[in-house]
PDB file of all heavy atoms in Angstrom:
ATOM      1  N   GLN A 137      71.710 145.698 104.798  1.00 92.00           N
ATOM      2  CA  GLN A 137      71.582 146.890 103.961  1.00 92.00           C
ATOM      3  C   GLN A 137      70.535 146.698 102.877  1.00 92.00           C
ATOM      4  O   GLN A 137      69.807 147.638 102.529  1.00 92.00           O
ATOM      5  CB  GLN A 137      72.941 147.225 103.352  1.00 92.00           C
ATOM      6  CG  GLN A 137      73.941 147.734 104.378  1.00 92.00           C
ATOM      7  CD  GLN A 137      75.354 147.784 103.857  1.00 92.00           C
ATOM      8  OE1 GLN A 137      75.716 147.043 102.927  1.00 92.00           O
ATOM      9  NE2 GLN A 137      76.180 148.636 104.438  1.00 92.00           N
ATOM     10  N   VAL A 138      70.436 145.467 102.358  1.00 93.00           N
ATOM     11  CA  VAL A 138      69.430 145.179 101.328  1.00 93.00           C
ATOM     12  C   VAL A 138      68.023 145.325 101.903  1.00 93.00           C
ATOM     13  O   VAL A 138      67.120 145.897 101.274  1.00 93.00           O
ATOM     14  CB  VAL A 138      69.639 143.758 100.757  1.00 93.00           C
ATOM     15  CG1 VAL A 138      68.441 143.344  99.890  1.00 93.00           C
ATOM     16  CG2 VAL A 138      70.922 143.698  99.939  1.00 93.00           C
ATOM     17  N   PHE A 139      67.837 144.815 103.115  1.00 92.00           N
ATOM     18  CA  PHE A 139      66.502 144.842 103.743  1.00 92.00           C
ATOM     19  C   PHE A 139      66.309 146.061 104.643  1.00 92.00           C
ATOM     20  O   PHE A 139      65.291 146.157 105.335  1.00 92.00           O
ATOM     21  CB  PHE A 139      66.283 143.560 104.553  1.00 92.00           C
ATOM     22  CG  PHE A 139      66.198 142.329 103.708  1.00 92.00           C
ATOM     23  CD1 PHE A 139      67.263 141.449 103.629  1.00 92.00           C
ATOM     24  CD2 PHE A 139      65.060 142.060 102.956  1.00 92.00           C
ATOM     25  CE1 PHE A 139      67.196 140.316 102.845  1.00 92.00           C
ATOM     26  CE2 PHE A 139      64.981 140.924 102.159  1.00 92.00           C
ATOM     27  CZ  PHE A 139      66.057 140.048 102.098  1.00 92.00           C
ATOM     28  N   ARG A 140      67.248 146.990 104.616  1.00 91.00           N
ATOM     29  CA  ARG A 140      67.184 148.156 105.488  1.00 91.00           C
ATOM     30  C   ARG A 140      65.879 148.943 105.369  1.00 91.00           C
ATOM     31  O   ARG A 140      65.309 149.371 106.379  1.00 91.00           O
ATOM     32  CB  ARG A 140      68.380 149.073 105.195  1.00 91.00           C
ATOM     33  CG  ARG A 140      68.572 150.217 106.182  1.00 91.00           C
ATOM     34  CD  ARG A 140      69.912 150.905 105.912  1.00 91.00           C
ATOM     35  NE  ARG A 140      70.189 151.942 106.882  1.00 91.00           N
ATOM     36  CZ  ARG A 140      69.935 153.236 106.680  1.00 91.00           C
ATOM     37  NH1 ARG A 140      69.400 153.629 105.530  1.00 91.00           N
ATOM     38  NH2 ARG A 140      70.195 154.129 107.620  1.00 91.00           N
ATOM     39  N   PRO A 141      65.361 149.162 104.151  1.00 91.00           N
ATOM     40  CA  PRO A 141      64.127 149.959 104.032  1.00 91.00           C
ATOM     41  C   PRO A 141      62.928 149.357 104.763  1.00 91.00           C
ATOM     42  O   PRO A 141      62.007 150.086 105.141  1.00 91.00           O
ATOM     43  CB  PRO A 141      63.884 149.995 102.517  1.00 91.00           C
ATOM     44  CG  PRO A 141      65.227 149.765 101.911  1.00 91.00           C
ATOM     45  CD  PRO A 141      65.909 148.809 102.822  1.00 91.00           C
ATOM     46  N   VAL A 142      62.906 148.044 104.957  1.00 91.00           N
ATOM     47  CA  VAL A 142      61.734 147.422 105.579  1.00 91.00           C
ATOM     48  C   VAL A 142      61.993 147.027 107.039  1.00 91.00           C
ATOM     49  O   VAL A 142      61.112 146.455 107.680  1.00 91.00           O
ATOM     50  CB  VAL A 142      61.290 146.165 104.779  1.00 91.00           C
ATOM     51  CG1 VAL A 142      60.863 146.557 103.380  1.00 91.00           C
ATOM     52  CG2 VAL A 142      62.410 145.122 104.725  1.00 91.00           C
ATOM     53  N   LEU A 143      63.153 147.348 107.537  1.00 90.00           N
ATOM     54  CA  LEU A 143      63.457 147.029 108.931  1.00 90.00           C
ATOM     55  C   LEU A 143      62.732 147.985 109.864  1.00 90.00           C
ATOM     56  O   LEU A 143      62.419 149.122 109.492  1.00 90.00           O
ATOM     57  CB  LEU A 143      64.967 147.123 109.173  1.00 90.00           C
ATOM     58  CG  LEU A 143      65.860 146.079 108.511  1.00 90.00           C
ATOM     59  CD1 LEU A 143      67.336 146.410 108.761  1.00 90.00           C
ATOM     60  CD2 LEU A 143      65.543 144.683 109.038  1.00 90.00           C
ATOM     61  N   PRO A 144      62.455 147.551 111.102  1.00 91.00           N
ATOM     62  CA  PRO A 144      61.879 148.479 112.091  1.00 91.00           C
ATOM     63  C   PRO A 144      62.798 149.683 112.281  1.00 91.00           C
ATOM     64  O   PRO A 144      64.021 149.571 112.164  1.00 91.00           O
ATOM     65  CB  PRO A 144      61.817 147.629 113.363  1.00 91.00           C
ATOM     66  CG  PRO A 144      61.807 146.215 112.889  1.00 91.00           C
ATOM     67  CD  PRO A 144      62.622 146.189 111.634  1.00 91.00           C
ATOM     68  N   ALA A 145      62.218 150.831 112.574  1.00 89.00           N
ATOM     69  CA  ALA A 145      62.990 152.081 112.641  1.00 89.00           C
ATOM     70  C   ALA A 145      64.159 151.990 113.609  1.00 89.00           C
ATOM     71  O   ALA A 145      65.262 152.461 113.320  1.00 89.00           O
ATOM     72  CB  ALA A 145      62.064 153.227 113.045  1.00 89.00           C
ATOM     73  N   LYS A 146      63.938 151.358 114.761  1.00 89.00           N
ATOM     74  CA  LYS A 146      64.995 151.264 115.767  1.00 89.00           C
ATOM     75  C   LYS A 146      66.181 150.478 115.239  1.00 89.00           C
ATOM     76  O   LYS A 146      67.345 150.811 115.515  1.00 89.00           O
ATOM     77  CB  LYS A 146      64.438 150.613 117.035  1.00 89.00           C
ATOM     78  CG  LYS A 146      65.402 150.639 118.209  1.00 89.00           C
ATOM     79  CD  LYS A 146      64.743 150.092 119.464  1.00 89.00           C
ATOM     80  CE  LYS A 146      65.711 150.146 120.648  1.00 89.00           C
ATOM     81  NZ  LYS A 146      65.077 149.626 121.887  1.00 89.00           N
ATOM     82  N   LEU A 147      65.910 149.428 114.474  1.00 89.00           N
ATOM     83  CA  LEU A 147      66.980 148.600 113.920  1.00 89.00           C
ATOM     84  C   LEU A 147      67.583 149.242 112.677  1.00 89.00           C
ATOM     85  O   LEU A 147      68.784 149.144 112.432  1.00 89.00           O
ATOM     86  CB  LEU A 147      66.421 147.213 113.585  1.00 89.00           C
ATOM     87  CG  LEU A 147      67.426 146.143 113.128  1.00 89.00           C
ATOM     88  CD1 LEU A 147      68.497 145.946 114.183  1.00 89.00           C
ATOM     89  CD2 LEU A 147      66.698 144.833 112.841  1.00 89.00           C
ATOM     90  N   ARG A 148      66.751 149.933 111.889  1.00 89.00           N
ATOM     91  CA  ARG A 148      67.206 150.554 110.646  1.00 89.00           C
ATOM     92  C   ARG A 148      68.295 151.593 110.896  1.00 89.00           C
ATOM     93  O   ARG A 148      69.257 151.703 110.127  1.00 89.00           O
ATOM     94  CB  ARG A 148      66.025 151.196 109.927  1.00 89.00           C
ATOM     95  CG  ARG A 148      66.375 151.762 108.555  1.00 89.00           C
ATOM     96  CD  ARG A 148      65.131 152.054 107.737  1.00 89.00           C
ATOM     97  NE  ARG A 148      64.249 153.014 108.385  1.00 89.00           N
ATOM     98  CZ  ARG A 148      63.027 152.765 108.810  1.00 89.00           C
ATOM     99  NH1 ARG A 148      62.514 151.547 108.687  1.00 89.00           N
ATOM    100  NH2 ARG A 148      62.289 153.703 109.372  1.00 89.00           N
ATOM    101  N   THR A 149      68.184 152.313 112.016  1.00 90.00           N
ATOM    102  CA  THR A 149      69.182 153.342 112.308  1.00 90.00           C
ATOM    103  C   THR A 149      70.550 152.750 112.651  1.00 90.00           C
ATOM    104  O   THR A 149      71.559 153.446 112.602  1.00 90.00           O
ATOM    105  CB  THR A 149      68.722 154.211 113.491  1.00 90.00           C
ATOM    106  OG1 THR A 149      68.524 153.379 114.644  1.00 90.00           O
ATOM    107  CG2 THR A 149      67.434 154.937 113.155  1.00 90.00           C
TER     108      THR A 149
END
Side-chain angles (χ1 to χ4, degrees):
Q137 290 168 335
V138 169
F139 293 104
R140 189 171 184 263
V142 297
L143 291 175
K146 188 175 181 179
L147 186 57
R148 185 165 60 244
T149 59

